[in-house]
Amino acid sequence: LLVRGDESLPQELNAGLDGTGLRIAVVAARFNYVITKNLMEGAVSTLGKYGVRDGDITTSWVPGSFELPLVAKTLAQSGRYDAVICLGAVIRGETSHYDMVCNQAASGIAAVGRETGIPTMFGVLTTENMEQAINRSGGKVGNLGSDCALGAIDCARLLQSIKTG
């Protein structure tokens, strides 16, 4: 834990990005698999690059993004993980189904973190078209799965540092 500041400045907690010893669960939606497999690969690869051992990463798949919150909550409540990463891809179609799935996935995943105290990362792409999803799953704009892996390590370490003082 790094604490910077003095009596005249606000205290800053900064836990860093060392994933050594962290246990991370990654759950991804099978729907739009051509996209979500890239998100999963990005997340797992980045976790490894930052010190999370393969044996400390658990991956699982659900049918679609709507099912992510239930499995994420079960994983978080198990006591086996320091963080949970949720990955999915919802691409707008011609019906209002897109809005319902996006809203339920977002609110459900946010609730998991609040209700369990386990960092739960929202890695669900919500795009207008397939090109945008490709660009955000390892293409021109990066990989949201990788970004979520960094966020999971950062948040897990920060919460650990707060709890241990």
Side-chain angles (χ1 to χ4, degrees):
L1 170 69
L2 302 174
V3 179
R4 291 192 298 252
D6 60 31
E7 293 177 20
S8 64
L9 297 173
Q11 186 178 46
E12 179 183 330
L13 298 175
N14 182 352
L17 290 174
D18 180 7
T20 305
L22 290 177
R23 296 161 303 151
I24 310 289
V26 187
V27 57
R30 274 190 217 95
F31 196 79
N32 288 319
Y33 181 78
V34 68
I35 300 299
T36 60
K37 75 176 176 58
N38 292 335
L39 296 175
M40 177 69 85
E41 289 168 1
V44 170
S45 174
T46 299
L47 290 171
K49 286 178 188 172
Y50 283 83
V52 181
R53 292 182 325 109
D54 286 345
D56 289 332
I57 302 169
T58 300
T59 62
S60 57
W61 293 86
V62 296
S65 293
F66 189 84
E67 292 77 26
L68 289 168
L70 173 63
V71 175
K73 185 172 184 178
T74 303
L75 291 164
Q77 288 177 328
S78 74
R80 296 175 49 204
Y81 303 102
D82 299 298
V84 177
I85 300 169
C86 298
L87 304 172
V90 185
I91 300 168
R92 187 178 296 279
E94 296 177 358
T95 69
S96 61
H97 184 75
Y98 168 89
D99 296 316
M100 289 183 280
V101 172
C102 292
N103 291 334
Q104 291 301 309
S107 63
I109 291 167
V112 171
R114 285 192 310 268
E115 293 170 10
T116 66
I118 300 296
T120 307
M121 308 310 294
F122 181 75
V124 178
L125 290 171
T126 56
T127 64
E128 295 296 318
N129 54 54
M130 183 62 80
E131 181 181 5
Q132 290 176 349
I134 291 167
N135 286 338
R136 288 158 178 78
S137 63
K140 298 176 190 174
V141 187
N143 187 309
L144 183 60
S146 179
D147 296 343
C148 285
L150 291 174
I153 293 169
D154 195 18
C155 287
R157 285 291 184 225
L158 182 59
L159 289 182
Q160 286 176 347
S161 69
I162 292 168
K163 291 176 185 176
T164 60

